[in-house]
Amino acid sequence: TDDFADGSQRYDVIIDIGYGVRDGTGMELARELKQTLEGMGLAPMFGATRKVTQDLKLLPLEAQIGQTGVRVNPKIIICLGISGAPQHIDYLGTRAEVLCFNKDPEAPLMKLNQTRTSPHVHPIAGDLFVTVRELIEKLG
């Protein structure tokens, strides 16, 4: 069973799942990333957008971050396919370094540094099924 972000600050690393993961194949990639990070001694938790929990039903409601979910404040957030609706990103906390994997370089979260100083976003443009796979290979 997976562990989910519950709003407490004790979670230092969150893998935040967005609609861009599309389906179970994207969740498999996210789980592989989670296992890789665990192999490095980290304890990542899953978080998700409303669309992932309520529309795609890839994660339970307990994992939902945002206006209709929980507020988090981790040190690192790895966002997979999250465009960046305010109802979600306003609940990510301010101390985080955000690795944002998205195919759309113009997505609001990818450009967040232009309007806010925190959380600090590291945009990684490209197909997340390619770029996240590259990250897993480099970490592994």
Side-chain angles (χ1 to χ4, degrees):
T1 176
D2 295 314
D3 291 319
F4 307 106
D6 67 359
S8 75
Q9 291 188 28
R10 73 179 182 272
Y11 300 125
D12 286 338
V13 180
I14 293 177
I15 299 171
D16 197 7
I17 310 297
Y19 199 69
V21 300
R22 300 193 297 257
D23 55 28
T25 304
M27 276 308 302
E28 287 175 31
L29 183 63
R31 285 188 178 93
E32 188 176 338
L33 175 59
K34 185 175 190 272
Q35 287 180 325
T36 300
L37 294 171
E38 288 169 343
M40 298 172 63
L42 298 172
M45 300 290 133
F46 281 128
T49 63
R50 185 192 57 75
K51 284 187 175 183
V52 169
T53 60
Q54 295 182 28
D55 297 351
L56 296 177
K57 300 190 184 314
L58 293 174
L59 288 171
L61 287 175
E62 296 84 55
Q64 188 172 312
I65 296 169
Q67 187 173 4
T68 54
V70 297
R71 179 180 299 276
V72 297
N73 196 21
K75 290 181 182 174
I76 298 171
I77 301 175
I78 303 172
C79 294
L80 307 181
I82 292 178
S83 63
Q87 297 88 341
H88 185 77
I89 60 173
D90 288 348
Y91 292 81
L92 295 182
T94 56
R95 72 179 184 149
E97 293 292 325
V98 180
L99 299 179
C100 182
F101 292 85
N102 197 305
K103 67 181 178 184
D104 180 5
E106 299 299 312
L109 185 55
M110 297 282 277
K111 298 172 70 175
L112 191 66
N113 291 342
Q114 296 174 13
T115 57
R116 296 187 192 179
T117 56
S118 64
H120 186 251
V121 178
H122 305 272
I124 302 161
D127 182 333
L128 70 86
F129 291 92
V130 174
T131 55
V132 173
R133 171 78 44 222
E134 290 171 351
L135 174 63
I136 290 169
E137 289 171 5
K138 287 179 180 171
L139 295 176

